[in-house]
Amino acid sequence: MEKYFHVAGSLCQPHFAATKKRFAITPFVLYLGNLNYIYMKVDISKVLQKRKKQILELWMKNQLANETLREDLMSNDELRIQSEELLDALVNAVNDRNLADAQSGDFDTVIEILSGISISRARQGYSPRETGVYIFSLREALLQTLQDELKNDAVTLLALTMKVNKLIDSFGVNTFETFIKGREEVILRQTDEITEISTPVTRLWDGILALPIIGTLDSARTQVVMENLLQEIVETGSSIAILDISGVPAVDSLVAQHLIKTISATRLMGAECIISGIRPEIAQTVVHLGIDLSNIITKATLASALKHAFGMLQLEVRKSVKEKTSL
Amino acid sequence: MAIQKEQDVVPFRNRVKEYAVKIGMSLVNQTKLITAASELVRNMLKYANGGYTLIEIVSKGRENGIRLSFVDKGPGIKDIQLAMKDGYSTAKSLGLGLPGAKRLVSEFDIRSSEKGTTVTITKWKNG
Amino acid sequence: MGKFLLVTIQVDLYDRLALNLESDLVQMVNKTGARGVLIDISALSIVDSFMGRIIGNIGSMSKIMDAETVVVGIQPAVAITLVELGLELKGVSTALNVEKGMALLRRKIGSFEDTQEEEHDDNSVE
C-alpha cells in the first residue's frame, strides 16, 4: 500500500505542482484521502523552504519580545546566527515522510545543533525556562507561518499543526535532556575541582609535608588524597607527612579506615605519617567506636606534630640572638 | 587470550595495560586492575592449569571501563563464600587473591561449578 | 665480603623467576655474610600478592640469618594497590630511594660504621 501511494505521489507531483492549492480542496482529492496525505507532506517542506525567511523573522521577533531574553549572555546578532543555523538544518531535514517522526535519522543534524546549543546555554548559565522559550518560540513562528499559508484549508492546517507540535515537543524534550546533561557536566567538573583544590599538599620543611584535610573523607576523596600525597612524597623525597584532620567534621570507622589506608601506603613508600588536629570530640568518637590508632603517631595540633617531626629528623628549633627563629 | 603457562602472565598483563591506557585510565586504577588480573590469572594457573581470558572495553553512560573475564575448566571452587574470605587459602598462600582482587576492582562476579570457574571483573575509568 | 646486598628488580617477574630470586638471594646472604639486603623495586609497575609474599619471605629469611631487609622505591600506585589488596609487607622496612634505604640499613645495623662495599646483583631478565 505504502509503495503504491509513493509512486502515485511522485507521479502526480509535476502535474499538481501548478495547481497546488486548488487541488487540495477538490472533491477528487477528498475522495483519494491517502493521496492527499502524501501531497500534504510534500507541501510542508516546500512551504518551509519558501517561507524560511519569514519564519526566521517571526521566530526572532518572538524571542526578542519575550521577557526572558538574555541580552547580557548573547547579542541579538549571535542569536540570529544561531537561530538561522538551526532553522536551516530543520528546513533541510524536513521532508514528506518524516515530519511526525523526530526519531528519524533525517533529524540527526538538527538534534546535533540543538544539543550543542542547549549544552552551551547550560554552561553559560541560561535557565531552563530561557532555553525552553528558545525552542518553543520556534513552534509559534512555524505555526503562524503555516496558518498564513493554509488559511483556506482548515483540515490540512490542523493535521500539520499536530505534527509540527509533536516534532517541536520532541525537540523540546531533547533540549532539556541535553541541557541537564550540560548542567551535570558543570557539576561534575566543579566536584573534580573541589576535590583537587581541597587536597593541597604543602611542604612545611625540607623533608616534611603537610596535608590539611578539610571536609568529609569518602573513598573517592581518600584516593585523591593518597595519590597526591604519595606523588608529592616521591617528588620532594620527604620522609615525614603530617595529615591534619582538624577540618574533618567527623571521624567514623569508615573515615578512620581511609586514614589508616593512607598511612599504610605512606609507610610502604618509606615515609612516616603523623596525624594531627585530633579534636576532643574526635578523640571521643574514635575511642567509643573502638578504632585502634595506637600504632599511629597522633598529635593534637599541627604545631606539636611539626615539633615531633623535627625531633624525628633530629632538627632543633632555637631562638637565635640576631634573628627570630632559625635552625 | 589463552593462558597456559606462567610465561603467559606478563604478556597478558601488558595487554590489559594497553587497553587501560587506551581508555585513559589513571595510573593508580591501571595498577589496581592489572594487579587484580594478575591475582586471578595466577589462580587460574595454579588451580585449573590455565584457561582463557577475555578483555573488553565496556561503557555505562558516560563512564568507560575494562571488563576482564577469566574462564577455566578446573575443579571449581566448593565454597565461594569461604574462598572470598581474607586469609583463607587451600594452598598455603596468603589467601588474598580473590578477596584482594575484589577490593581492587569496581565490579566482581564469580561463578563456579565442577566444570570450571568464571570470574568477571570490571574496573571503571574513574572508580 | 660485602656488607649490603643491593638487588634491583628491573622487569616484571613471573612467578618462577621470583622464586629463583628468593632462593638465589638467600644463598647470597649466606655466602657473603651480608648484614643488609636492599631490594629496589622502583621499576616494578605491579606487585601482586605473590610478589608481595616473595618480598616478605626474603625479609623473614634474611632476618633469621641476621640480615635486615629494606625495600625501596615502591611506586605510589603500587603502594595504594598493596594497601587496597590488604598486603602490608610485614617484616620489611621501606625507604623512598636507594640512598635513604642505605641510610636506614646503616642505622639499623648500627655499630658497624666502617666502609661499605656494595655487592651488585642486578637481576635483569633476559
Side-chain angles (χ1 to χ4, degrees):
Chain A
M1 284 298 261
E2 252 307 273
K3 197 152 208 168
Y4 163 73
F5 284 121
H6 282 316
V7 173
S10 59
L11 278 177
C12 294
Q13 213 176 320
H15 170 65
F16 293 140
T19 54
K20 218 188 274 171
K21 271 200 180 160
R22 207 170 56 86
F23 174 73
I25 49 169
T26 51
F28 168 67
V29 177
L30 289 179
Y31 169 69
L32 277 174
N34 273 314
L35 194 54
N36 176 34
Y37 187 64
I38 291 160
Y39 163 67
M40 182 193 78
K41 284 179 187 167
V42 174
D43 201 27
I44 179 91
S45 92
K46 285 200 175 142
V47 170
L48 291 184
Q49 284 290 2
K50 198 172 69 188
R51 299 271 193 138
K52 201 167 80 184
K53 261 234 140 67
Q54 192 192 342
I55 298 173
L56 182 64
E57 288 315 317
L58 269 171
W59 187 17
M60 286 306 292
K61 207 178 86 195
N62 288 345
Q63 289 189 65
L64 297 179
N66 201 298
E67 69 227 25
T68 60
L69 182 73
R70 295 291 294 266
E71 278 170 283
D72 55 331
L73 292 177
M74 194 189 292
S75 76
N76 291 344
D77 288 343
E78 267 178 87
L79 185 64
R80 173 176 286 269
I81 291 166
Q82 203 181 58
S83 306
E84 196 168 2
E85 188 192 7
L86 181 65
L87 189 61
D88 270 345
L90 177 66
V91 169
N92 290 336
V94 168
N95 63 30
D96 53 346
R97 276 177 296 279
N98 60 18
L99 180 58
D101 179 20
Q103 308 307 322
S104 141
D106 301 345
F107 288 116
D108 281 354
T109 4
V110 183
I111 290 181
E112 205 176 293
I113 293 175
L114 200 55
S115 305
I117 292 175
S118 37
I119 283 189
S120 73
R121 284 180 170 232
R123 286 198 192 119
Q124 284 167 344
Y126 276 83
S127 77
R129 171 184 288 267
E130 286 149 11
T131 311
V133 163
Y134 173 72
I135 184 75
F136 289 128
S137 60
L138 170 62
R139 174 193 359 231
E140 262 169 63
L142 279 174
L143 292 184
Q144 246 167 305
T145 312
L146 284 175
Q147 223 163 21
D148 202 28
E149 181 82 5
L150 296 164
K151 316 197 226 320
N152 304 322
D153 185 358
V155 181
T156 317
L157 179 60
L158 181 66
L160 271 180
T161 308
M162 297 289 278
K163 284 183 183 147
V164 168
N165 267 336
K166 218 171 143 193
L167 187 68
I168 298 286
D169 281 348
S170 79
F171 283 162
V173 170
N174 188 276
T175 308
F176 282 114
E177 268 177 8
T178 38
F179 184 83
I180 291 172
K181 219 194 247 167
R183 276 290 165 91
E184 271 172 1
E185 262 164 32
V186 172
I187 296 173
L188 274 179
R189 207 192 55 231
Q190 286 171 343
T191 316
D192 282 353
E193 272 168 19
I194 293 171
T195 327
E196 284 297 320
I197 294 167
S198 58
T199 52
V201 184
T202 41
R203 251 176 100 168
L204 277 190
W205 205 264
D206 197 23
I208 304 173
L209 292 178
L211 177 70
I213 302 175
I214 293 158
T216 317
L217 258 189
D218 55 16
S219 49
R221 189 95 192 280
T222 312
Q223 168 116 353
V224 178
V225 167
M226 248 201 260
E227 271 183 64
N228 285 353
L229 180 64
L230 299 194
Q231 199 53 50
E232 202 64 26
I233 287 177
V234 173
E235 270 162 29
T236 59
S238 300
S239 47
I240 296 173
I242 303 174
L243 282 181
D244 188 77
I245 58 166
S246 39
V248 178
V251 175
D252 55 16
S253 50
L254 206 64
V255 173
Q257 207 191 335
H258 289 319
L259 280 176
I260 291 170
K261 264 187 201 167
T262 310
I263 292 164
S264 313
T266 319
R267 285 194 179 148
L268 277 178
M269 303 277 306
E272 194 46 75
C273 213
I274 306 172
I275 294 191
S276 76
I278 311 241
R279 286 177 283 124
E281 43 299 8
I282 288 182
Q284 270 177 309
T285 43
V286 164
V287 172
H288 282 312
L289 287 171
I291 302 165
D292 182 21
L293 294 181
S294 58
N295 48 8
I296 295 168
I297 309 165
T298 51
K299 296 284 166 199
T301 62
L302 186 59
S304 52
L306 184 59
K307 204 169 145 197
H308 185 88
F310 280 147
M312 286 167 77
L313 292 178
Q314 288 144 10
L315 294 174
E316 240 178 81
V317 181
R318 258 202 320 258
K319 204 171 216 166
S320 102
V321 191
K322 291 176 237 158
E323 305 275 327
K324 287 152 275 168
T325 48
S326 72
L327 260 192
Chain B
M1 190 169 171
I3 304 287
Q4 305 294 348
K5 51 190 187 301
E6 277 181 14
Q7 283 86 334
D8 295 339
V9 174
V10 174
F12 169 69
R13 295 205 293 222
N14 292 341
R15 187 75 73 82
V16 174
K17 190 174 175 91
E18 268 168 42
Y19 277 83
V21 169
K22 201 153 78 187
I23 67 161
M25 198 181 266
S26 76
L27 182 65
V28 173
N29 282 346
Q30 274 179 37
T31 310
K32 286 184 178 177
L33 175 67
I34 299 168
T35 309
S38 180
E39 300 290 341
L40 294 170
V41 167
R42 168 160 307 107
N43 277 353
M44 228 163 63
L45 284 168
K46 198 155 68 184
Y47 299 107
N49 279 320
Y52 70 89
T53 58
L54 196 67
I55 310 175
E56 296 164 277
I57 294 181
V58 288
S59 56
K60 182 175 72 181
R62 313 139 56 83
E63 190 70 312
N64 280 332
I66 293 204
R67 184 192 291 150
L68 303 175
S69 308
F70 304 84
V71 184
D72 69 48
K73 296 197 162 44
I77 300 168
K78 275 205 194 72
D79 188 342
I80 291 183
Q81 268 190 338
L82 192 60
M84 290 305 297
K85 251 165 83 181
D86 261 334
Y88 173 81
S89 174
T90 52
K92 281 190 188 159
S93 59
L94 294 172
L96 285 173
L98 283 178
K102 186 178 181 180
R103 280 194 294 271
L104 291 173
V105 295
S106 322
E107 282 157 35
F108 186 97
D109 179 59
I110 180 165
R111 277 151 222 258
S112 187
S113 69
E114 303 87 66
K115 289 193 200 98
T117 305
T118 301
V119 182
T120 310
I121 56 174
T122 309
K123 181 89 190 160
W124 300 110
K125 193 175 133 190
N126 305 306
Chain C
M1 286 284 269
K3 198 175 158 196
F4 299 149
L5 283 176
L6 171 65
V7 187
T8 313
I9 302 178
Q10 278 171 343
V11 291
D12 286 342
L13 299 176
Y14 55 89
D15 299 5
R16 185 79 35 82
L17 229 50
L19 282 171
N20 287 348
L21 172 70
E22 179 188 295
S23 56
D24 284 357
L25 200 62
V26 178
Q27 290 291 334
M28 239 4 200
V29 171
N30 183 36
K31 217 159 71 189
T32 60
R35 297 290 321 277
V37 180
L38 198 73
I39 308 175
D40 179 6
I41 60 166
S42 55
L44 277 190
S45 60
I46 299 291
V47 176
D48 58 13
S49 69
F50 187 82
M51 199 57 213
R53 185 154 62 110
I54 296 289
I55 293 171
N57 284 355
I58 293 175
S60 320
M61 290 168 189
S62 313
K63 189 96 193 164
I64 47 178
M65 292 167 69
D66 194 27
E68 290 288 339
T69 307
V70 172
V71 177
V72 301
I74 297 184
Q75 297 289 324
V78 171
I80 294 173
T81 305
L82 282 177
V83 169
E84 238 14 278
L85 195 62
L87 210 67
E88 283 165 45
L89 294 186
K90 283 194 181 107
V92 288
S93 321
T94 51
L96 216 51
N97 50 38
V98 175
E99 209 177 307
K100 295 201 176 195
M102 282 294 182
L104 182 65
L105 270 183
R106 240 169 260 145
R107 263 207 313 280
K108 283 192 164 228
I109 293 157
S111 50
F112 304 93
E113 279 286 333
D114 46 357
T115 52
Q116 312 91 30
E117 285 168 46
E118 286 126 28
E119 189 94 2
H120 281 264
D121 180 10
D122 270 14
N123 200 295
S124 11
V125 181
E126 58 283 334

